């Protein structure tokens, strides 16, 4: 969550995360539209993500599985930054 927030992704509650679930919205100036993010993330990086949360469907939901380690989380965050910000 902190890595995404550092790159301008919007997180509810000031980025505070209590569980293995992180909600976020794309940063302003994102190179990718919200409608394309989930598919591109899975096809290009093998990362599955849920979208369409909140009014207007701006927020995405990232949930870590117990078999996903810190390296996998870092890889997913890096993929999000690359796709959205170049």
């Amino acid at each position: 969550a902190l890595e995404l927030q550092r790159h301008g992704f919007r997180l509810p509650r000031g980025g505070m995360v209590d569980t293995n679930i992180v909600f976020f919205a794309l940063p302003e100036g994102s190179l990718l539209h919200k409608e394309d993010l989930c598919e591109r993330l899975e096809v290009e990086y093998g990362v599955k993500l849920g979208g369409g949360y909140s009014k207007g469907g701006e927020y995405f939901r990232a949930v870590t599985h117990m078999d996903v380690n810190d390296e996998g989380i870092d890889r997913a965050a890096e993929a999000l930054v690359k796709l959205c910000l170049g």
Side-chain angles (χ1 to χ4, degrees):
L2 293 176
E3 183 67 12
L4 294 178
Q5 193 172 38
R6 188 172 74 80
H7 283 92
F9 287 76
R10 295 174 289 138
L11 282 75
R13 300 177 2 150
M16 196 166 86
V17 178
D18 298 324
T19 66
N20 65 329
I21 302 171
V22 175
F23 288 92
F24 66 91
L26 300 181
E28 287 190 31
S30 175
L31 302 173
L32 199 60
H33 294 285
K34 65 182 180 181
E35 294 82 12
D36 302 323
L37 180 62
C38 293
E39 181 179 350
R40 295 258 323 261
L41 196 59
E42 185 170 2
V43 169
E44 295 177 32
Y45 294 94
V47 176
K48 293 182 181 181
L49 187 69
Y53 295 89
S54 77
K55 290 182 180 178
E58 288 186 39
Y59 282 90
F60 294 87
R61 182 179 76 159
V63 180
T64 58
H65 185 272
M66 61 186 254
D67 292 333
V68 176
N69 60 20
D70 289 345
E71 183 179 298
I73 293 169
D74 290 344
R75 188 172 64 81
E78 289 170 11
L80 282 164
V81 170
K82 280 183 185 178
L83 281 175
C84 294
L85 300 174

